[in-house]
Amino acid sequence: QVQLVESGGGLVQAGGSLRLSCAASGSIFSINNMGWYRQGPGLQRDVVASITAAVNTNYADSVKGRFTISRDNANNTLYLQMTSLKPEDTGVYYCRRWGVVGGRWLDYWGQGTQVTVSS
């Protein structure tokens, strides 16, 4: 069982910065698709940024140029550096790790960390 724990959220003024971290524990196997999702007022979790085993990155249009996703494989940690934050970035940010391993679909989520951006 893989456990993902997010940290680094908080309250910040518009234009500020935050760095989110997602630490993984347990047997991660070769589950190397990782990403950050945001749950806003609509309660739907939408992808913010993702990174593959090949370190290919993808970003939601709304955060391109402002957010950077990265991973530290040695420490099993995923990061999301957020700059130039806007009120629309507010939400609960979840770390996700997923993939097909040994013919099985594996999908793990953290508990989330709150990010609130004030005007």
Side-chain angles (χ1 to χ4, degrees):
Q1 179 71 31
V2 172
Q3 182 177 356
L4 306 177
V5 179
E6 302 95 336
S7 62
L11 175 64
V12 64
Q13 289 280 345
S17 301
L18 287 172
R19 188 180 74 161
L20 306 184
S21 299
C22 173
S25 62
S27 299
I28 62 173
F29 305 99
S30 58
I31 313 171
N32 293 319
N33 298 307
M34 305 180 70
W36 289 96
Y37 288 70
R38 180 178 64 85
Q39 184 176 48
L43 302 182
Q44 180 180 357
R45 295 182 185 182
D46 298 316
V47 64
V48 174
S50 64
I51 186 168
T52 68
V55 201
N56 295 317
T57 58
N58 293 282
Y59 297 92
D61 289 340
S62 61
V63 307
K64 288 180 179 177
R66 299 188 297 118
F67 291 8
T68 302
I69 188 172
S70 62
R71 63 196 299 175
D72 183 346
N73 291 331
N75 294 308
N76 295 320
T77 303
L78 179 72
Y79 300 97
L80 183 67
Q81 180 66 50
M82 306 184 293
T83 62
S84 301
L85 284 162
K86 305 174 180 179
E88 65 189 67
D89 297 321
T90 293
V92 180
Y93 284 73
Y94 294 88
C95 176
R96 182 192 181 196
R97 190 160 183 161
W98 73 99
V100 178
V101 180
R104 299 172 58 205
W105 172 257
L106 302 176
D107 195 352
Y108 298 96
W109 294 82
Q111 293 299 305
T113 184
Q114 177 70 44
V115 172
T116 303
V117 184
S118 62
S119 300

